[in-house]
């Protein structure tokens, strides 16, 4: 008996020491939940001294009010002898009002009459752990939200296991439903273009070796619908194998297809703009040279008897120079420097007219079909220039058949220009979405590859042995000047379709008087710009008096002087705009006429004329230029007594202009 009692005492002492020294907050409670004994760790947890806790209810004093009912149920189950030890995580409230989370473990230590009379409860503080868990949960929620709304497609790939994670944006970008892409590396490799995949892996190896900080590579990825998306892939190796090779990489995908299209279109527009400036400058300089050739040939032809041996040679010289002038006019058309008369045009009627004309000149192997819309809205345009457009398109389509049987179809109608059309179109950079009238020419000929199609509107680019490469360049210039655009659809061996769209004319303009606007001049071979004076009158007319002539180009000045002297005038030459104003100012009443180049140093022709007319308001003047009359101040033209002649001019054209201003 003594031995049993001693053992019990030793056991109780061992429990007491273990209870008091335990680092886990522990409390002994009776069957009703009253605290009988607490250890130091428990006091530190609840921040209350032991004598203030003993005898009080664990439930009423410390349990959070929202959790008390559950704790009462757990104790009731223990008192009834149901279930085993209790393990729950609950909130507790300290007497100072602060809260903490704790994992509670309760075990029965003694029973009386078959019911629990004493239980040991241990509390393990979970506040910090819960805070970390909540922070992680919030972080995961933010990450999930970011992955859902971001436009960049994030991915994580393990090159060893083949596991791969795609963010929702990556799937949306490629047209797939959420989770439709299998989370495997081989799935990714199947949809990336093989050439781009090989290049990307080469760069990954460079990144893994530390020779490339971050990989940025554009790759083609097949969308769900089968089309290719151009994607910028930015990636970095984040884990390495033991041999230093890439094990795991993360990256982002950004669809740059539309951006690259816009950049390519902008580059093309800039290139064509530069070529346009170059073409305009070349045309202007050539016109100055051609003035000398044409006018001297013209003068020589007038001086020579018709039976003179040199007469045919001079005539051939004049014809060759005239054809060269046609070439410069096509260059000016491409550069958009010229004029035309706006009027309401029925594009279907114009296309019908041109198709009949072209049909007689095309190969018998070519079948010409017309699909022309009736009651087409009018366009405000220059009929001559649009005829040139249709002629160029039909001629090119016919030549694309290469003498083989085929079909050329011309269509007209109304189309909705949208962002997709604008992205691929060539022409006016400011074209806006909306309703446009179109003329389209389609052929079943040889077609073009992408490299050729990208250059067809460049001046002097041609695939024809005898071509000059200016037909489509001039077409682009004309459509640009009318506020329209062109699109090209072609495939090597399968033909070509070129569509020109033009803005619909406002209804109120249909009955207005034609309006002159800046636009290209495209003139048929052997035709020259001329003032409309009967040839007989122009050839017989002669003048008298002193003329001031100003041009900074000596060659042009010389041939203009010869022409004026042949008409009977006395000519004084000036080298620039300031020179002519100074000479005129010295003797304002002396001069019968002033003849001025529009483009000169010091003062331009119209600026010089403005100062001259400040001294003599009605002073007759003839101005000429290698560009268009649109350069001329409209106020000067409106005042009367001014005529414009475009270079290269002939004796007839400049004589007609002089006759008009002097007879007004």
């Amino acid at each position: 008996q003594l031995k049993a009692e001693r053992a019990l005492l030793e056991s109780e002492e061992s429990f007491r020491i273990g209870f008091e020294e335990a680092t886990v907050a522990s409390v002994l409670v009776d069957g009703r939940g009253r605290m009988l004994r607490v250890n130091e760790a428990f006091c530190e947890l609840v921040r209350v001294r032991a004598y203030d806790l003993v005898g009080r209810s664990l439930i009423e004093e410390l349990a959070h009010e929202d959790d008390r009912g559950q704790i009462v149920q757990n104790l009731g189950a223990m008192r009834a002898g149901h279930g085993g030890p209790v393990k729950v995580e609950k909130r507790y409230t300290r007497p100072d009002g602060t809260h903490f989370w704790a994992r509670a473990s309760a075990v029965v230590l003694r029973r009386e009459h078959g019911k629990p009379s004493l239980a040991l409860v241990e509390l393990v503080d979970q506040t910090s752990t819960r805070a970390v868990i909540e922070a992680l949960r919030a972080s995961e929620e933010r990450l999930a939200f970011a992955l859902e709304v971001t436009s960049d497609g994030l991915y994580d790939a393990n090159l060893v296991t083949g596991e791969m994670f795609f963010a929702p944006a990556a799937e949306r970008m490629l047209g797939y439903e959420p989770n439709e892409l299998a989370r495997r590396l081989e799935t990714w490799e199947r949809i990336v273009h093989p050439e781009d995949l090989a290049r990307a892996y080469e760069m990954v190896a460079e990144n893994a070796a530390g020779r490339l900080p971050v990989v940025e590579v554009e790759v083609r990825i097949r969308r769900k619908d089968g089309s290719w998306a151009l994607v910028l892939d930015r990636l970095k190796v984040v884990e390495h194998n033991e041999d230093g090779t890439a094990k795991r990489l993360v990256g982002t995908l950004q669809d740059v297809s539309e951006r690259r299209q816009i950049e390519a279109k902008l580059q093309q527009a800039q290139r064509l703009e530069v070529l346009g400036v170059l073409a305009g400058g070349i045309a202007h300089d050539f016109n100055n040279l051609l003035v000398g050739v044409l006018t001297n040939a013209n003068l020589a032809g007038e001086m020579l008897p018709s039976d003179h041996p040199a007469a045919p040679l001079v005539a051939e010289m004049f014809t060759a120079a005239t054809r060269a002038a046609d070439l410069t006019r096509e260059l000016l058309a491409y550069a958009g420097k010229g004029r035309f008369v706006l009027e309401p045009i029925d594009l279907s009627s114009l296309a019908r007219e041109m198709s009949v004309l072209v049909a007689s000149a095309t190969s018998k192997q070519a079948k010409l079909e017309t699909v022309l819309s009736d009651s087409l809205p009018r366009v405000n345009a220059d009929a001559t220039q649009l005829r040139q457009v249709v002629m160029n398109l039909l001629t090119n389509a016919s030549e694309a058949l290469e003498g083989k049987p085929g079909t050329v179809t011309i269509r007209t109608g109304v189309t909705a220009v949208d962002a997709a059309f604008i992205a691929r179109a060539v022409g006016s950079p400011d074209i806006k979405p909306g309703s446009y009238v179109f003329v389209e020419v389609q052929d079943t000929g040889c077609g073009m590859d992408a490299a050729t199609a990208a250059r067809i509107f460049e001046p002097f680019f041609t695939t024809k042995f005898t071509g000059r490469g200016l037909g489509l360049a001039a077409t682009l210039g004309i459509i640009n000047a009318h506020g329209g655009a062109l699109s090209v659809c072609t495939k090597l061996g399968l033909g070509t379709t070129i569509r020109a769209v033009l803005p619909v004319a406002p209804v109120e303009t249909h009955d207005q008087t034609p309006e002159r606007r800046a636009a290209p001049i495209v003139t048929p071979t052997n035709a020259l710009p001329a003032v409309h004076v009967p040839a007989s009158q122009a050839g017989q007319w002669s003048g008298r008096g002193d003329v001031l002539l100003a041009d900074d180009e000596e060659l042009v000045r010389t041939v203009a002087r010869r022409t004026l002297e042949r008409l009977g005038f006395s000519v004084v030459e000036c080298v620039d705009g300031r020179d002519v104003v100074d000479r005129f100012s010295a003797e304002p009443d002396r001069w019968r006429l002033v003849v001025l180049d529009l483009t000169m140093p010091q003062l331009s022709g119209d600026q010089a004329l403005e100062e001259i007319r400040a001294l003599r308001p009605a002073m007759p003047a003839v101005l000429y230029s290698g560009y268009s009359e649109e350069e001329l101040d409209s106020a000067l033209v409106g005042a009367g007594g001014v005529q414009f002649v475009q270079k290269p001019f002939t004796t007839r054209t400049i004589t007609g202009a002089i006759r008009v201003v002097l007879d007004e």
Side-chain angles (χ1 to χ4, degrees), residues 283-292 551 553 555-556 597 647:
H284 182 271
D285 291 342
F286 265 91
N287 276 341
N288 283 334
L289 298 174
L290 288 171
V291 167
D551 197 308
E553 291 284 341
L555 174 61
V556 179
D597 181 25
K647 293 188 290 188

Side-chain angles (χ1 to χ4, degrees), residues 450-520:
T452 301
R455 301 189 60 193
I456 60 174
F457 296 110
E458 295 180 9
F460 307 115
F461 177 79
T462 180
T463 58
K464 306 168 191 172
F465 180 72
T466 58
R468 295 184 309 204
L470 285 172
L472 287 178
T475 296
L476 176 61
I478 294 169
I479 295 299
N480 269 342
H482 283 81
L486 294 165
S487 71
V488 180
C489 180
T490 185
K491 191 169 184 180
L492 196 61
L494 296 179
T496 299
T497 301
I498 299 181
R499 171 174 287 195
V501 299
L502 295 165
V504 176
V507 175
E508 60 270 22
T509 67
H510 286 181
D511 297 324
Q512 291 179 350
T513 302
E515 177 186 1
R516 191 160 60 194
R517 294 281 182 83

Side-chain angles (χ1 to χ4, degrees), residues 24 61 71 115 156 181 220 260 349 353 364 388 402 430 492 504 519 526 532 537 545 603 623 628 643 659:
V24 177
E61 297 293 333
I71 295 175
K115 295 183 179 180
D156 186 334
L181 280 176
R220 288 161 290 178
R260 295 295 178 261
S349 297
E353 169 194 332
K364 300 301 181 183
Q388 188 70 36
E402 298 179 325
D430 298 328
L492 196 61
V504 176
N526 295 329
H532 295 292
Q537 294 182 21
L603 289 175
L623 294 98
S628 74
Q643 283 290 307
R659 170 72 183 278

